Each structure stands twice: as C-alpha cells, then as structure tokens.
Amino acid sequence: MNSETLQFLVTTFMELATLVCAYAAVRLYKKRWQPRMVLLLVPLAANAVCYAIYRTTPFFYLGVILLLCLPFVWPRKSA
C-alpha cells in the first residue's frame, strides 16, 4: 500500500469518526459530561497527530469542528 492510499484511508476514517463522535457527544444532552468530553477530545487529539504527520488541511478542519462542539459539552454550574 503506497502513502497516498494510506493517507486517503486515514482521512476517510477520521472524517467518519469526527462526525459520529461530534454528533454523539452533542446528542447525549442529559447524560454526564465526562463521557461526552472524551468523545470529543479523543478524535481531537487524533486529528492533531494526523495533522502533524500529514500536514494536510482536512485534519485541521476536523479539529475545528470538534472545537466548535466543545461549548455544548462543557460543564456549567447547575442553577
């Protein structure tokens, strides 16, 4: 398997993982915040590592998507 094929597979997997984890973390609205935060931070770290390795913009934009989801998962004081 050459490097372009591997990069395509990693990019496709990370796109799917990012979208599924972002949806699941935001959708689990009434649940505890720790598992939802893990659902966002694990793919965010993986996207950062992939961006450092491949230096292509899709991983950067996927990280931005996950960062935009963080305020919806961040714990806040109960009223």
Side-chain angles (χ1 to χ4, degrees):
M1 204 176 338
N2 59 8
S3 65
E4 285 123 14
T5 305
L6 183 61
Q7 182 178 351
F8 173 75
L9 290 174
V10 170
T11 304
T12 303
F13 175 75
M14 286 309 299
E15 286 173 352
L16 292 174
T18 298
L19 294 177
V20 167
C21 289
Y23 177 77
V26 174
R27 186 75 176 145
L28 296 173
Y29 185 68
K30 298 285 185 182
K31 306 294 182 201
R32 294 179 34 199
W33 65 272
Q34 289 97 347
R36 294 187 302 149
M37 192 67 75
V38 168
L39 272 175
L40 289 180
L41 293 179
V42 169
L44 181 63
N47 280 321
V49 169
C50 289
Y51 179 71
I53 293 171
Y54 292 114
R55 295 285 183 193
T56 57
T57 56
F59 299 114
F60 174 76
Y61 292 128
L62 291 172
V64 169
I65 290 170
L66 291 171
L67 285 175
L68 289 174
C69 293
L70 276 178
F72 299 103
V73 176
W74 196 263
R76 58 185 173 169
K77 291 183 179 180
S78 297

